[in-house]
């Protein structure tokens, strides 16, 4: 999972969309406190960190990340409009693995993200096959295999299944699933999740039984 810490919604959503379109798992958050909450729920393979943030700036967040045994090995790329040499040197000296100045081209951006993932040995994790029992999700290829049978899913069905499998054993509320898969600005009902879960179970055949309903809360897989 790649976390993008960016308080400007349009930029955050563009970065997350670009990463996921490139076959990488990504989630956007606005503040340091949201980042650390997300990290407690799901580990990161990379953090993209803006400097100018509410609550506390990116450099302070970077120092916290590097001072903790739990998070110090997570690679960090500073992504910021502050392009002065002093700011770059300060970020790199604090432990950042790279520094990208806004505005930037998306092709170069993805190339530099992949370069850091390769250099830090995190790329395999991002490109890994997710597997629970006989159910496999080939993330990079956007393919799903159920007991060896190739299953054709819509984009939302694929994203929903992938997110459930990335959080194996964790109960995910309907609101959380809506927020991650459909976006927090989605104005539909939580029933959308139920409909997609039902269709997923049907398409997955026997493997669909891995998706459990937790009454009054939401869903989990492989718990």
């Amino acid at each position: 999972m790649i976390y993008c810490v960016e308080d400007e919604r349009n930029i955050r959503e563009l970065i997350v969309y670009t990463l996921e379109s490139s076959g990488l798992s990504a989630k956007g958050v606005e503040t340091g406190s949201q980042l650390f909450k997300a990290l407690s729920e799901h580990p990161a393979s990379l953090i993209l960190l803006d400097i100018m943030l509410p609550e506390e700036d990116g450099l302070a967040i970077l120092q916290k990340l590097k001072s903790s045994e739990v998070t110090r090995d997570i690679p960090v790329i500073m992504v910021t409009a502050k392009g002065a040499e002093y700011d770059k040197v300060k970020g790199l000296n604090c432990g950042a693995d790279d520094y990208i100045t806004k505005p930037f081209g998306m092709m170069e951006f993805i190339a530099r993200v992949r370069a850091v993932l390769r250099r830090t040995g995190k790329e395999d994790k991002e490109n890994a096959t997710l597997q629970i029992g006989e159910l496999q999700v080939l993330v990079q290829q956007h393919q799903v295999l159920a007991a060896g049978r190739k299953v054709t899913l819509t984009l939302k069905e694929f994203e929903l299944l992938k997110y459930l499998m990335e959080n194996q054993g964790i109960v995910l509320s309907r609101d959380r699933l809506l927020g991650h898969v459909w976006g927090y600005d989605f104005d539909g009902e939580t029933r959308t999740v139920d409909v997609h879960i039902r269709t997923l179970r049907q398409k997955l055949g026997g493997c669909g039984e891995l998706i459990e309903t937790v009454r009054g809360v939401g869903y989990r897989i492989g718990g």
Side-chain angles (χ1 to χ4, degrees), residues 6-7 10 16 21 58 61 63 67 72 77 84 99 125 134 138-139 162 165 169 175 179 196 207 212 220:
E6 168 63 64
D7 61 325
N10 291 340
V16 169
S21 298
I61 295 170
Q63 289 174 329
S67 64
R72 66 185 178 191
I77 299 178
Y99 197 112
K125 183 179 178 181
E134 293 186 305
L138 285 66
V139 176
K162 175 170 160 283
M165 292 185 71
D175 285 338
H196 278 73
C207 290
E212 306 170 27
R220 77 173 157 218

Side-chain angles (χ1 to χ4, degrees), residues 111-215:
R112 290 173 71 171
V113 164
R114 290 196 181 281
V116 169
L117 289 172
R118 283 195 303 272
R119 191 164 67 242
T120 56
K122 304 290 185 179
E123 186 177 41
D124 289 343
K125 183 179 178 181
E126 279 299 318
N127 295 334
T129 297
L130 301 171
Q131 182 165 357
I132 301 174
E134 293 186 305
L135 180 61
Q136 293 179 306
V137 172
L138 285 66
V139 176
Q140 191 74 6
Q141 295 91 334
H142 274 246
Q143 290 183 0
V144 174
L145 300 174
R149 175 179 59 91
K150 187 174 179 180
V151 181
T152 301
L153 301 180
T154 66
L155 178 59
K156 292 303 182 188
E157 289 166 355
F158 180 86
E159 291 178 350
L160 180 59
L161 178 61
K162 175 170 160 283
Y163 189 52
L164 284 166
M165 292 185 71
E166 286 174 338
N167 292 275
Q168 180 181 357
I170 299 174
V171 180
L172 302 174
S173 69
R174 290 174 176 82
D175 285 338
R176 183 170 170 185
L177 290 168
L178 272 176
H180 181 84
V181 177
W182 282 267
Y184 287 99
D185 56 348
F186 180 73
D187 57 4
E189 299 179 354
T190 55
R191 178 169 167 73
T192 300
V193 175
D194 299 331
V195 172
H196 278 73
I197 290 288
R198 185 166 64 247
T199 305
L200 259 180
R201 284 172 170 156
Q202 291 171 350
K203 289 186 176 182
L204 295 175
C207 290
E209 296 177 3
L210 290 167
I211 303 175
E212 306 170 27
T213 300
V214 181
R215 186 161 300 193

Side-chain angles (χ1 to χ4, degrees), residues 15 17 38-39 48 71 82 98 135 153 183 192-193:
I15 289 175
Y17 174 80
L39 287 171
L48 304 169
T71 57
K82 300 188 72 173
D98 199 358
L135 180 61
L153 301 180
T192 300
V193 175

Side-chain angles (χ1 to χ4, degrees), residues 51-63:
I51 288 184
M52 303 297 291
L53 292 169
E55 295 182 1
E56 59 182 338
D57 66 46
L59 291 173
I61 295 170
L62 177 61
Q63 289 174 329

